[in-house]
């Protein structure tokens, strides 16, 4: 049954919060485990519905997964893959499932995967993924809404990405891990999740060099072995809690976070007048004695400001003194939160790919709807400081990417309940 959040305004958030494993790192690593016929153990796995869908997908191909949610580990064994075709119902639930294309093709010589449809944050095509696989010798056919890729043996190739797509870099890197010869990806994505996937491939016997730079060289190996891999902390979950602390004028210590990975968010929070300090224990965000001031942001591939933090930052700017401009350059149509924030009293005008925000003294609670994961998180943050009660529907989107966001914010002093939607 669908649930909604009921959020009452709270005072400053205070306390310590441990950040979970990164959703955007564990999903490609689970896809990558299809490359090896030997058992793998993945740890620091966040308890998210997206992870559950990815495990279902691996099982639908004949793989075995055992998820110990208390320990945060998944044991995965894909020694007996029986299918190279992904079910539409599963791929429709989870766009990242398209990442199985490269590994399946490399391991079994064939992959038939539904084309991911449009989604709430733009059309999100997969042309770069497929161009890369084609350059490695795959034959690509489209029929009945599916992509079918076949190749007896993928061959290493030099691939230049028109845009440093995270997903395309991951798919090509995985396919290249078992290809014959060397693949070079130029203008590759440099996100920390790419480095995490490369580390996984390397500990499983692959040979990937240069991940984290814009040129990645992959020397194909004949086969790969089992491994144990611990997923990096989630920089977007960390950023969301940092903004929550700032917005409520709180004092919060974040642990299990990589300071380097949240640098773009830290830099912006400092510009907004919030104290952020890296300590040996974690990242300390202290905003109890400051006036929030306007700042402009422009989303960019890493190490620029992450598009996945744009919506949450906009909630902060909605209450900051002055005028801010938020420009989204990574996805078209990623301002889904704007209409709902306006219903809460924010003053925001969209002009093409920018949103112009006039900070207001008060936001007011009302009924709003989460249209996607990060837009939903932005509404939760705004509701923490809005007058009266806010009801947020569509929270399955939020549960896809944040483990019990309500309970974890409550541990810091928020007042969020869950109720069944009428
Ligand atoms: C990943 C993240 C997502 C994040 C995004 C950008 C996962 C599971 N998801 O998504 O949370 O917001 O990176 O940091 O890791 N594009 C093309 N052709 C392609 C592929 C992408 O034109 O073949 C375009 C997209 O439409 C988009 C841009 O490139 O405008 C960035 O997309 P990409 O980096 O591929 O994002 P995802 O991997 O889908």
């Amino acid at each position: 049954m669908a649930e909604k959040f009921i959020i009452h305004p709270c005072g400053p958030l205070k306390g310590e919060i441990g950040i979970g494993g990164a959703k955007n790192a564990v999903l490609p690593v689970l896809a990558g485990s299809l490359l090896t016929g030997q058992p793998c153990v993945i740890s620091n796995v966040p308890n998210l519905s997206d992870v559950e869908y990815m495990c279902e997908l691996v099982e639908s191909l004949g793989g075995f997964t055992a998820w110990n949610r208390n320990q945060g580990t998944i044991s995965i064994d894909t020694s007996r893959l029986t299918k190279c075709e992904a079910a539409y119902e599963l791929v429709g639930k989870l766009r990242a499932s398209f990442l199985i294309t490269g590994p399946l093709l490399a391991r079994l010589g064939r992959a038939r995967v539904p084309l991911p449809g449009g989604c709430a944050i733009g059309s999100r095509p997969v042309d770069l993924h497929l161009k890369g696989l084609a350059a490695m010798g795959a034959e690509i056919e489209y029929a009945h809404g599916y992509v079918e890729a076949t190749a007896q043996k993928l061959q290493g190739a030099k691939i230049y990405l028109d845009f440093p797509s995270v997903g395309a870099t991951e798919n090509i890197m995985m396919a290249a891990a078992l290809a014959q010869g060397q693949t070079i990806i130029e203008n590759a994505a440099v996100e920390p999740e790419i480095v995490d996937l490369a580390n996984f491939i390397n500990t499983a016997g692959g040979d990937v060099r240069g991940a984290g730079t814009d040129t990645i060289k992959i020397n194909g190996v004949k086969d790969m072995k089992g491994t144990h891999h611990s997923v990096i902390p989630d920089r977007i979950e960390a950023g969301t809690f940092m903004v929550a602390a700032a917005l409520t004028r709180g004092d919060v210590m974040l642990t299990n976070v990589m300071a380097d990975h949240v640098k773009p968010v830290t830099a912006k929070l400092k510009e907004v007048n919030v104290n952020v300090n890296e300590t040996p224990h974690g990242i300390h965000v202290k905003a109890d004695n400051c006036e929030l001031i306007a700042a402009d942001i422009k989303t960019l591939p890493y190490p620029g400001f992450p598009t996945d933090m744009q919506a949450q930052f906009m909630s902060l700017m909605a209450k900051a003194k002055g005028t801010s401009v938020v420009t989204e350059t990574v996805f078209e149509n990623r301002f889904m939160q704007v209409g709902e924030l306006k219903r809460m009293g924010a003053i925001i005008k969209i002009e093409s790919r920018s949103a112009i925000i006039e900070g207001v003294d008060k936001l007011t609670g009302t009924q709003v709807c989460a249209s996607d994961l990060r837009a939903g998180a932005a509404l939760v943050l705004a509701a923490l400081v809005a007058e009266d009660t806010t009801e947020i529907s569509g929270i399955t989107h939020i549960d896809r990417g944040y483990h019990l966001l309500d309970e974890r914010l409550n541990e810091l002093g928020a007042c969020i309940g869950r109720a069944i939607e009428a």
Side-chain angles (χ1 to χ4, degrees), residues 171-362:
N171 232 336
I172 296 166
M173 195 161 82
M174 290 188 280
L178 288 180
Q180 195 154 20
Q182 188 181 65
T183 300
I184 302 177
I185 311 176
E186 290 178 319
N187 199 27
V190 300
E191 269 69 1
E193 293 76 16
I194 302 283
V195 179
D196 201 45
L197 177 62
N199 288 341
F200 166 77
I201 294 174
N202 286 342
T203 58
D207 183 0
V208 180
R209 298 167 194 208
T213 74
D214 63 4
T215 305
I216 303 180
K217 293 185 179 165
I218 306 114
N219 296 308
V221 295
K222 252 178 115 182
D223 44 34
M224 287 170 53
K225 54 187 172 82
T227 188
H228 172 253
H229 179 80
S230 179
V231 172
I232 54 169
D234 196 314
R235 61 195 169 100
I236 306 301
E237 186 189 36
T240 304
F241 276 97
M242 289 166 81
V243 172
L247 195 48
T248 60
R249 311 290 211 282
D251 185 342
V252 173
M253 176 68 84
L254 290 94
T255 59
N256 189 34
V257 47
M258 311 270 272
D260 263 5
H261 295 176
V262 292
K263 252 188 196 159
V265 177
T266 301
K268 274 299 154 188
L269 285 176
K270 286 184 174 172
E271 208 177 309
V272 169
N273 216 9
V274 175
N275 280 312
V276 185
N277 286 306
E278 205 182 308
T279 77
H281 189 52
I283 293 184
H284 185 197
V285 183
K286 194 164 153 45
D288 47 359
N289 267 323
C290 68
E291 180 183 42
L292 300 174
I293 52 173
D296 297 342
I297 63 164
K298 189 186 220 180
T299 66
L300 286 168
Y302 190 83
F305 191 90
T307 173
D308 285 349
M309 280 301 302
Q310 177 258 105
Q312 301 89 314
F313 204 82
M314 192 182 286
S315 294
L316 183 65
M317 291 303 89
K319 284 271 290 173
K321 191 176 164 66
T323 306
S324 312
V325 180
V326 169
T327 305
E328 174 59 59
T329 75
V330 178
F331 288 107
E332 85 267 28
N333 194 21
R334 203 179 191 179
F335 285 141
M336 307 297 284
Q337 73 280 14
V338 168
E340 302 302 85
L341 286 176
K342 282 166 80 170
R343 297 193 57 247
M344 295 177 73
I347 300 180
I348 306 172
K349 196 166 79 181
I350 296 180
E351 279 183 11
S352 173
R353 288 199 149 196
S354 294
I356 300 149
I357 304 135
E358 297 288 342
V360 293
D361 283 338
K362 72 170 188 183

Side-chain angles (χ1 to χ4, degrees), residues 23-24 27 95-96 124-129 163-168 191 307-308 330-331 334:
K23 168 178 93 69
N24 287 352
L27 298 176
R95 203 192 121 82
R124 301 183 79 169
V126 287
D127 55 318
L128 299 173
H129 301 230
F163 183 89
S165 152
V166 174
E191 269 69 1
T307 173
D308 285 349
V330 178
F331 288 107
R334 203 179 191 179

Side-chain angles (χ1 to χ4, degrees), residues 49-50 52-53 56 87-97 400:
S49 46
D50 268 9
E52 201 170 294
Y53 299 144
E56 276 178 42
Y88 173 72
E89 302 73 48
L90 284 170
V91 175
K93 277 186 192 164
L94 176 65
R95 203 192 121 82
S97 54
R400 281 184 43 208

